Amino acid sequence: MLRENYYDWQCGNHQISLARPRIMGILNVTPDSFSDGGQNYDPKIAVEHAIQMLDDGADIIDVGGESTRPGHKPVSPEEEMRRIVPVVRQLVQEGAVVSVDTRHAQTAKMCLRLGADIINDVTGFTDPDMVKVVAPSKCGLVVMHWNQTTGINSRKSVTLDSARPARAVMPTNRRFTLPEEAPIMREVMGFLGDQARTLMRAGVSHDRICIDPGPGFDKTADMDVVIQRNTQKLVSMGYPVLTAVSRKRFVGAVSGVGQAADRDPATIGIVLSAVVAGARVLRVHNVAQTAQAVNSFWAVGRKDSRRAFISLGSNVGDRIGYLARATKLIDSLPLTCVNAVSHAYETEPAYGIATPVANAVAEIHTELHPLVLMDKLLDIEDQLDRVRDPQKQGFGPRTIDCDLCWFEGEEHAGRKLKLPHPGLGERDYVLVPMEDLMSDPERFLAHDGVDVRPFEERVGHVMADLGPVAWQA
């Protein structure tokens, strides 16, 4: 029986849980990519677009500085680095999981020094220099199939500097709608397996490797359909599978949509088919639409309850009453329940707040995506009449503040949500209430990579126990 692959993917300092699908947003910092060339060529525009993709639901940003579209003009490593280095540097500083789409060892080496987490090589790490660069690092690797020397139909050798990649020759006098799948899958799976083993012999651990069958690279639409239908066989190889069909020509062929930029709905259809078959990394252009579709599909189609902690704070009016009302509203959210709530605690003002705050922490289980849950929490703040003063950057008086602090198996970067919350380890007004919910929150959070600060370095110290939050009354 073919097995599903739900491993963690080790990518630098990030351990990406593949218990649910992960979205990799495409960021082409090029003037000539096939569907969005030139849109993000300016580094500032590229970074802003990347952050928007994170807020839309991307888990990973895949930065590329060289187009591989048919008829593309190859660029030198120097030009590629000129395009992408400022973008990679800024995204790393933002805390994003950054993938670099490159076939050049020099570019990979530079970007790893900057803190990139993944190297996505369209040539499948067939360059020994590339293997030498990535092997001693901790980065994740995407091994893509693009066998240009011994292709599926024994094509002649093709170099990367060719004006156009060779097209696979389809057999004539066909009797069936699609070509025979056995030789196609032998070629693709054999290549990917061989390259993965080459990397492991060089010292790369198994949990760093992800495989990509390379749709559109020297493949006809019929071949791509055969490969997509056999995604479960790729999953059975024991590596995470990346599906990278976004706006490709074969998507247009099966959907009848001519313009690449109009193929997002068709892309989503194929992506969902891949998810059903076990693919867990989804490389797409339109992150917002894909996230909406995948999150809805996952919520309805899979049981995936996760533990999370929400910090609640109030320093206006009936503070304990606001904590209780917020907790009750959280418990009423779809696919969500409150397991326990700490006592309310009087805490010192912090981050420029003028008056003491009543704080508590709610432990929940939810099947909502973290970004969907965050939107729900903001809605609860609005329901309880929170007023946000833009001059105080969220630290003004509030009837209620709902901070999603920690979410099981989740890391996230962006302006809308960061997980774990960047201030979690320094907030006494969160750490002390958590002691009501577990025996040793400091050890729990440290195990998850949170830097828990010593008491004297914390902010918002607890001053008094205000008693239980009667949210079920």
Side-chain angles (χ1 to χ4, degrees):
M1 178 178 177
L2 296 175
R3 62 188 176 89
E4 292 185 312
N5 183 345
Y6 299 139
Y7 297 133
D8 290 343
W9 185 19
Q10 189 65 47
C11 300
N13 293 322
H14 301 273
Q15 191 168 338
I16 301 175
S17 168
L18 300 181
R20 70 166 179 84
R22 299 294 172 175
I23 296 176
M24 176 185 279
I26 299 171
L27 186 65
N28 289 318
V29 191
T30 62
D32 57 346
S33 292
F34 76 98
S35 76
D36 58 355
Q39 292 182 15
N40 303 298
Y41 196 41
D42 181 286
K44 292 183 180 178
I45 294 175
V47 170
E48 284 301 311
H49 180 57
I51 292 173
Q52 184 60 56
M53 286 195 289
L54 291 169
D55 287 344
D56 287 339
D59 300 282
I60 303 164
I61 302 297
D62 190 42
V63 184
E66 178 184 35
S67 172
T68 51
R69 64 180 295 172
H72 72 283
K73 182 179 180 181
V75 300
S76 67
E78 291 75 20
E79 172 61 18
E80 184 180 40
M81 285 187 281
R82 185 192 68 78
R83 296 175 179 180
I84 70 171
V85 160
V87 178
V88 170
R89 180 184 291 113
Q90 184 62 40
L91 291 179
V92 168
Q93 291 175 1
E94 294 284 342
V97 179
V98 178
S99 169
V100 176
D101 181 358
T102 183
R103 62 184 176 88
H104 295 121
Q106 291 173 256
T107 303
K109 186 174 183 179
M110 173 60 73
C111 290
L112 289 175
R113 285 176 176 169
L114 294 173
D117 305 290
I118 300 166
I119 300 298
N120 179 6
D121 184 359
V122 297
T123 64
F125 297 91
T126 51
D127 179 358
D129 289 337
M130 182 69 92
V131 176
K132 290 178 183 177
V133 167
V134 300
S137 76
K138 298 190 297 182
C139 70
L141 308 174
V142 178
V143 182
M144 198 196 82
H145 174 269
W146 188 10
N147 195 340
Q148 300 175 87
T149 58
T150 58
I152 294 169
N153 287 302
S154 299
R155 297 181 301 279
K156 295 180 179 179
S157 176
V158 182
T159 68
L160 278 169
D161 293 328
S162 300
R164 183 183 180 90
R167 293 291 302 277
V169 180
M170 293 297 296
T172 58
N173 301 321
R174 292 161 51 184
R175 296 178 57 197
F176 303 100
T177 57
L178 289 174
E180 184 181 354
E181 69 177 48
I184 295 174
M185 296 311 297
R186 275 199 303 269
E187 158 64 23
V188 173
M189 294 173 71
F191 176 91
L192 294 174
D194 286 346
Q195 293 310 114
R197 285 186 289 272
T198 296
L199 288 166
M200 286 189 285
R201 283 195 294 269
V204 175
S205 61
H206 186 285
D207 62 353
R208 290 171 52 194
I209 299 173
C210 176
I211 58 175
D212 171 8
F217 284 80
D218 279 343
K219 301 174 182 74
T220 66
D222 284 348
M223 290 176 180
D224 281 324
V225 171
V226 167
I227 294 167
Q228 290 303 309
R229 288 183 180 179
N230 283 274
T231 296
Q232 196 173 12
K233 289 183 179 178
L234 293 169
V235 171
S236 74
M237 294 176 67
Y239 305 96
V241 173
L242 180 147
T243 183
V245 300
S246 187
R247 300 180 179 175
K248 293 288 180 73
R249 283 179 298 173
F250 100 89
V251 176
V254 300
S255 65
V257 179
Q259 294 297 318
D262 296 332
R263 295 172 186 162
D264 291 331
T267 294
I268 290 169
I270 296 172
V271 161
L272 290 178
S273 174
V275 169
V276 170
R280 287 294 174 267
V281 186
L282 318 173
R283 184 179 183 272
V284 297
H285 295 85
N286 193 324
V287 169
Q289 288 188 13
T290 304
Q292 187 179 126
V294 171
N295 293 342
S296 300
F297 166 81
W298 202 252
V300 173
R302 302 297 176 101
K303 294 180 180 179
D304 188 14
S305 177
R306 308 287 189 89
R307 188 186 190 191
F309 293 97
I310 299 169
S311 172
L312 305 171
S314 175
N315 69 335
V316 173
D318 180 9
R319 300 178 303 165
I320 308 301
Y322 279 120
L323 297 180
R325 291 168 63 188
T327 303
K328 191 168 185 176
L329 288 170
I330 292 169
D331 190 59
S332 70
L333 293 176
L335 284 77
T336 302
C337 67
V338 174
N339 289 344
V341 182
S342 73
H343 279 204
Y345 291 87
E346 184 93 40
T347 65
E348 294 176 342
Y351 303 117
I353 294 175
T355 60
V357 183
N359 282 287
V361 172
E363 177 186 349
I364 70 168
H365 273 85
T366 184
E367 297 188 45
L368 296 176
H369 185 279
L371 285 168
V372 176
L373 176 61
M374 191 67 239
D375 283 335
K376 301 289 187 184
L377 296 178
L378 293 174
D379 288 343
I380 288 172
E381 293 182 355
D382 290 339
Q383 289 179 59
L384 298 182
D385 302 320
R386 174 169 178 175
V387 176
R388 296 177 178 84
D389 184 346
Q391 300 300 318
K392 297 185 177 180
Q393 299 181 342
F395 297 127
R398 74 283 304 277
T399 56
I400 194 67
D401 181 51
C402 302
D403 275 343
L404 181 55
C405 291
W406 181 90
F407 199 111
E408 181 183 351
E410 296 295 328
E411 294 182 45
H412 194 75
R415 295 197 176 119
K416 181 177 177 181
L417 174 66
K418 293 183 185 294
L419 284 174
H421 193 290
L424 178 54
E426 69 177 14
R427 296 184 172 186
D428 199 57
Y429 62 83
V430 177
L431 296 169
V432 171
M434 284 184 70
E435 292 177 2
D436 293 347
L437 306 175
M438 63 175 63
S439 61
D440 191 349
E442 293 185 28
R443 182 178 180 184
F444 174 85
L445 293 172
H447 179 73
D448 205 46
V450 176
D451 179 19
V452 179
R453 311 312 299 269
F455 176 80
E456 61 274 10
E457 295 181 16
R458 296 180 190 173
V459 299
H461 287 98
V462 168
M463 299 186 295
D465 186 337
L466 301 177
V469 178
W471 67 277
Q472 292 177 311

